[in-house]
Amino acid sequence: MKITSFVAVAGLAGFGFWYSHSKPPEPVVVQLQGPLPAQTTVVPTPRTRFTPSTRKGYYNIDVVGDFTLPSTKTITFCGAGRNLHVQQDRMKLFKRGFSAIERNRMIPDVEIWSTDNPPRGWKSSLAFSQRSLIVYQDYFANSFGLPWARNSELAKDVLFQAPMNPSDPSARTNRNTLFQASMELGGTCVGFGDCAPGHYKSTYGKIFLDIENEGTSFGNRQEQVNLYTYMMKILKENANAKTEIGSIAPVPHNSFGNSKAEHYTVGAEWLWDMPAKQTASSKQRGMPDDIVGKSFADYADFQMPGTYYLYPDFDYADHHTGDGDRHWLASLLEEQEVNRKLSPKKRIAWHWLFNTQNSEYNKSAKADHPAPPAVAEGMSIFYWFTGAYGVLFWDDYTDLTSDQPSPADPNLQGLGSDRNYACYEHYIHGLWRLFKHHSDLFNGHETYLNEATECSYDGGKTWVAYNANQIKTRDLPFVRAIVNGDQILIAATKTYAQPNQTTQVMVRYVQNGYTFYTTLSLKGDEIFLGRSTMKRK
């Protein structure tokens, strides 16, 4: 998409985004020529019957049976409540669609060694691909004395690498450097008992950075770019060649859940692909010349576009059709639609099934509202229709204690074990519906139609392909499709619809020699998922 003119606008937390003055192009409306072709039946994907849990601090992971994620996708579990079922079956999560466990959810001395060096010959029970690590801000700030991790304005003070000690050329005189912090993660192979002889390189399958200091003042941007680029380079050098590394930020574009029309005309955010270059003091602080001209994006293995929800996203009584209105599905899809065009990097989104904290929004001061059933199930289905690579399934609590009285402290009420976690059941149910029944379509040969999915909202007279914002602002049902050979898989829903509401929408695919037309009848806000075999023209 050609962007003709730009103006810098300040985003949240000091982000700077480039926005086009030009409006997004209007969708092309295609008139049907001649009679409506014969329609093909779409076979609905089964649902399993279960009664959602009403217990606090509990969810039933057995609302569905066993299934596994396709090898082309990844879901890291960093959620709450593994302790509820791990003693009965340590592998249960891997039978419920998850493919990796984050370090803080691992079983000590079984999956990761908890103290110093493990006994000779000990090995983790987790395979390389089943291990993930989140590196938070405190790792840099507390363990290595780098306050920059909490205050990006200090970027110009950070040592890349300490100067050599003249009396001992093999030694460095200061551990409080970005090199040391990044390099020492290579030693995490010790906890799995599989360090290569003679050197340390991390044997996590995936490493996720969650520093959250990316925003900074305009004049400080180059220093910030240099640090993020260098950090990624050193992390990559000290990890297994197969380890994939990315960060919650920067991403090419962050819409913060607003799913506005203008987001489809943006360029990449500056910290994502701005090249490193020496500044007045960077060489003295140890920045090497070999990263000059490189960017964070050059070293990152994946991008992490996504959004945490606020309570208005869950509120069916709220207004959801304005350009800037909160909308759970529009934001989920738009983040992927926009970022897949800004970068070819694989995409992994953070999924949290409770609202994030933001006191400026209604009922969002605390993270005490679970995603409604259709939202939780829809997240675990619609997201995969965007062509995304993976999910980091996250929660702010680790262990759960069921059926406890509410805390006396009002600030703790509705949090942790005082929450209802039935949303996990709906999310896992969605994964089961999609991957138990349709894993064969995710073999690397599928085509994700995204906003090119053609629909008719007037009984087949006209056909149009809308992006997520256009569907939201027109208050239409959402439809997305995946095509693999002669198979078409369709997800559809009328978001925020009432239980007694029925909505019809037509879908077609008329490419690559196929003529496929069908009509879907959507009940309330249910997540429709169905599959059909298409016929040649």
Side-chain angles (χ1 to χ4, degrees), residues 223-235:
E223 299 286 4
Q224 187 77 330
V225 164
N226 293 346
L227 293 177
Y228 264 77
T229 303
Y230 179 76
M231 174 178 61
M232 287 297 290
K233 175 181 183 292
I234 302 304
L235 287 171

Side-chain angles (χ1 to χ4, degrees), residues 162-178:
M164 298 296 292
N165 184 341
S167 63
D168 182 3
S170 66
R172 296 282 174 177
T173 59
N174 189 340
R175 287 191 73 251
N176 304 133
T177 69
L178 190 55

Side-chain angles (χ1 to χ4, degrees), residues 247-282:
S247 178
I248 190 173
V251 292
H253 179 70
N254 190 337
S255 298
F256 297 102
N258 293 317
S259 57
K260 294 182 179 179
E262 65 185 6
H263 295 164
Y264 286 89
T265 65
V266 299
E269 190 264 327
W270 60 272
L271 188 55
W272 174 253
D273 60 4
M274 181 175 169
K277 69 177 183 179
Q278 298 287 1
T279 65
S281 67
S282 59

Side-chain angles (χ1 to χ4, degrees), residues 121-137:
W122 181 89
K123 301 283 187 183
S124 169
S125 61
L126 292 176
F128 174 84
S129 64
Q130 295 174 327
R131 312 167 186 168
S132 295
L133 173 69
I134 301 176
V135 183
Y136 293 102
Q137 180 184 94

Side-chain angles (χ1 to χ4, degrees), residues 237-344:
E237 290 176 348
N238 289 276
N240 185 288
K242 296 182 180 179
T243 300
E244 296 180 306
I245 305 176
S247 178
I248 190 173
V251 292
H253 179 70
N254 190 337
S255 298
F256 297 102
N258 293 317
S259 57
K260 294 182 179 179
E262 65 185 6
H263 295 164
Y264 286 89
T265 65
V266 299
E269 190 264 327
W270 60 272
L271 188 55
W272 174 253
D273 60 4
M274 181 175 169
K277 69 177 183 179
Q278 298 287 1
T279 65
S281 67
S282 59
K283 188 175 286 286
Q284 290 75 20
R285 291 182 284 119
M287 175 177 152
D289 286 328
D290 62 1
I291 67 168
V292 172
K294 300 288 187 179
S295 68
F296 173 89
D298 289 329
Y299 292 106
D301 293 297
F302 53 85
Q303 54 172 311
M304 300 195 73
T307 184
Y308 285 158
Y309 292 124
L310 296 161
Y311 176 74
D313 291 289
F314 301 158
D315 186 359
Y316 278 48
D318 208 340
H319 193 261
H320 299 286
T321 59
D323 182 55
D325 285 348
R326 304 291 305 188
H327 190 295
W328 76 265
L329 186 49
S331 63
L332 181 143
L333 295 177
E334 191 216 56
E335 290 282 358
Q336 306 305 317
E337 291 172 357
V338 169
N339 282 283
R340 73 183 183 88
K341 294 181 178 179
L342 293 176
S343 171

Side-chain angles (χ1 to χ4, degrees), residues 358-487:
N358 189 327
S359 59
E360 295 182 6
Y361 287 83
N362 184 38
K363 297 183 180 180
S364 299
K366 293 194 301 181
D368 55 349
H369 295 283
V375 176
E377 181 185 337
M379 288 171 65
S380 64
I381 291 178
F382 269 96
Y383 173 75
W384 300 102
F385 277 72
T386 67
Y389 170 53
V391 163
L392 176 52
F393 185 84
W394 188 86
D395 198 272
D396 55 347
Y397 282 77
T398 302
D399 290 340
L400 295 177
T401 303
S402 307
D403 307 320
Q404 298 298 300
S406 293
D409 185 348
N411 293 321
L412 298 178
Q413 293 173 4
L415 303 180
S417 294
D418 201 42
R419 291 171 175 152
N420 177 274
Y421 272 86
C423 51
Y424 276 37
E425 299 169 356
H426 294 291
Y427 188 92
I428 293 171
H429 181 225
L431 293 177
W432 175 84
R433 293 185 69 206
L434 183 61
F435 294 121
K436 173 70 174 181
H437 301 88
H438 307 296
S439 279
D440 60 307
L441 299 184
F442 297 88
N443 60 5
H445 300 292
E446 68 273 22
T447 298
Y448 299 90
L449 300 188
N450 285 293
E451 60 268 49
T453 304
E454 282 195 282
C455 295
S456 175
Y457 303 98
D458 59 7
K461 298 176 183 177
T462 59
W463 294 86
V464 68
Y466 285 142
N467 66 38
N469 171 269
Q470 291 163 340
I471 298 174
K472 175 183 80 167
T473 55
R474 289 164 172 79
D475 195 21
L476 296 170
F478 282 76
V479 183
R480 289 294 180 258
I482 299 170
V483 171
N484 192 332
D486 65 356
Q487 298 297 296

